[in-house]
Amino acid sequence: MNNSTTISPAALAALGLDTQQTLPGASTGQQFLPIANTHEIIHSYSPVNGALIGTVAKTTAAQYDQVVLRAQEAFKVWREVPAPQRGEIVRQIGDAFRTHKEHLGWLVSYEMGKIYQEGLGEVQEIIDICDFAVGLSRQLYGLTIPSERPGHRMQERWHPLGIVGVISAFNFPVAVWSWNAMLAAVCGDVTIWKPSEKTPLCALACQHIIQDVLRRNNLPEGIFNLTVGEAELGQLMSADTRIDLVSATGSTRMGKAVAGTVASRLGKFLLELGGNNAIVLTPQADLKLALQAIVFGAVGTCGQRCTSTRRLIIHESVYDKVKEALLKTYQSLPARIGSPLDSQTLIGPLIDADAVRMMQDRLQHVQAEGGTLLFGGQVHTAPGLEGGHYVVPALVEARNEMTSVQHETFAPILYLLKYSTWEEAIALHNGVPQGLSSAIFTGNFREAEQFLSPSGSDCGIANVNIGTSGAEIGGAFGGEKETGGGRESGSDAWKAYMRRQTQTLNYSEALPLAQGIRFDI
């Protein structure tokens, strides 16, 4: 990897993208739908330097309807393919992404702004979930249940659900889609993906990779589908009774809108929404270990992860020491801000100018509430970074009850909070509307166990002596409260993509009723 600020045309060509032309914004599988001159388009600008990467045609309502119809036809075929054979297709998809890992990681970095190592890591998540799904394809287990009636057998069986609509966010332009799409695929479902309008080229690249695999296996073109558009397209998907499950990742505001629309038609939804994640730092913490996790959690991906560390809850006995160490570290960070394609960079840009304004507005607001800006927050400029959206990570002393602290800000702002007692630490930790990821650094076994107990962290993810950011594929990912309650990826998250059926078989010559009811005729 060289110290580049632009993406190689060869990398785009390897992913099937020709950015000299307007790219199609709707796919029904092997063929992209034609573009009419009347189509609206989305411009994809890189946050690295503001350059136009390419333009993508928005999916029209008529095209969307064609996509759904093709998905319905593909589902009729795909649901009858034995699950292990579906797993074999997903295995081939994983291998295809292995082949394209470098180029796709580069595109993720350039279109979204995360550093190249994180771009590679995101593609590795696709590969990992494919591996997980392949094994899962032979483990879609049901139950055998004892019946109270003689000569009867009860069992549970899991069936494919249907069409899964996936609405994903810009910050993980390919990984979160894959968590849904690969599990849905081995479960026998088909997917329709609406990526963020800020990162459409990453989605198009994924579609090209997958369609090559489907073509080689003579499979229906509508198993994996792509649409491109803005909020209106997500609303269309949410209201569509043909979509059996809507999986949406994004802000709490967006999630509430999706949930309301889908619930009004009694549909199923899976939500992965905002986080306001905290690390509790106790007197027994290994501060050297904790510092590394805190900084990565707070400034990694320029603070644009749903699991980013937003709040640091520090015991009063070590507060000044920790603040001093963080200030020293933060003061060294501007030297590592730059193009995410540069191998020396640790912090890339925010996604766009609106994100920069949002960060600065939040910092003004928290200071008006009485918070103290210790460092950072300004726009970062340097030769070669013109046109990009770079900021210096901010360190702020604040109180948990401040409005600014209670809301998630998708930017590198870390709030320092002080506590005296264990009870106060847990109250501070849980005293926000969100409940995604959490962590504690301690050498005290009792504190660790208390943090993981029912009276400890109220989040969907709780860690001891590791940070809030960086979940593994094998565990179910998701959170509570305003985070939405959804679970994706590992464990038994696959059940969200299937329908459960309780089956009873009578192999006797009598017809006894449950609960001993007699009904003789």
Side-chain angles (χ1 to χ4, degrees), residues 64-72 163 192 240 242-243:
Y64 169 79
D65 193 58
Q66 291 181 52
V67 170
V68 175
L69 292 174
R70 294 238 186 171
Q72 287 180 315
I163 301 177
I192 299 175
D240 193 340
R242 298 169 296 179
I243 307 297

Side-chain angles (χ1 to χ4, degrees), residues 356 359-360 363 373 375-380 391-395 412-413:
V356 176
M359 176 181 178
Q360 295 187 324
L363 289 173
L373 178 62
F375 182 80
Q378 67 270 32
V379 172
H380 179 79
V391 294
V392 178
L395 205 57
I413 302 174

Side-chain angles (χ1 to χ4, degrees), residues 140-223:
L140 301 175
Y141 301 139
L143 297 174
T144 299
I145 306 165
S147 174
E148 67 183 60
R149 290 169 283 185
H152 286 58
R153 175 164 63 85
M154 292 176 63
Q155 64 185 27
E156 279 187 352
R157 190 173 178 186
W158 293 88
H159 291 301
L161 188 60
I163 301 177
V164 176
V166 181
I167 301 172
S168 63
F170 76 86
N171 60 325
F172 280 86
V174 299
V176 174
W177 155 77
S178 72
W179 295 356
N180 289 274
M182 299 310 145
L183 292 194
V186 296
C187 289
D189 301 326
V190 299
T191 52
I192 299 175
W193 181 17
K194 191 206 89 64
S196 169
E197 63 273 18
K198 297 179 181 181
T199 51
L201 299 183
C202 290
L204 281 168
C206 289
Q207 187 76 351
H208 281 303
I209 292 168
I210 283 182
Q211 293 306 317
D212 283 343
V213 175
L214 295 180
R215 245 182 250 113
R216 291 197 303 268
N217 287 275
N218 297 313
L219 285 167
E221 54 190 33
I223 297 173

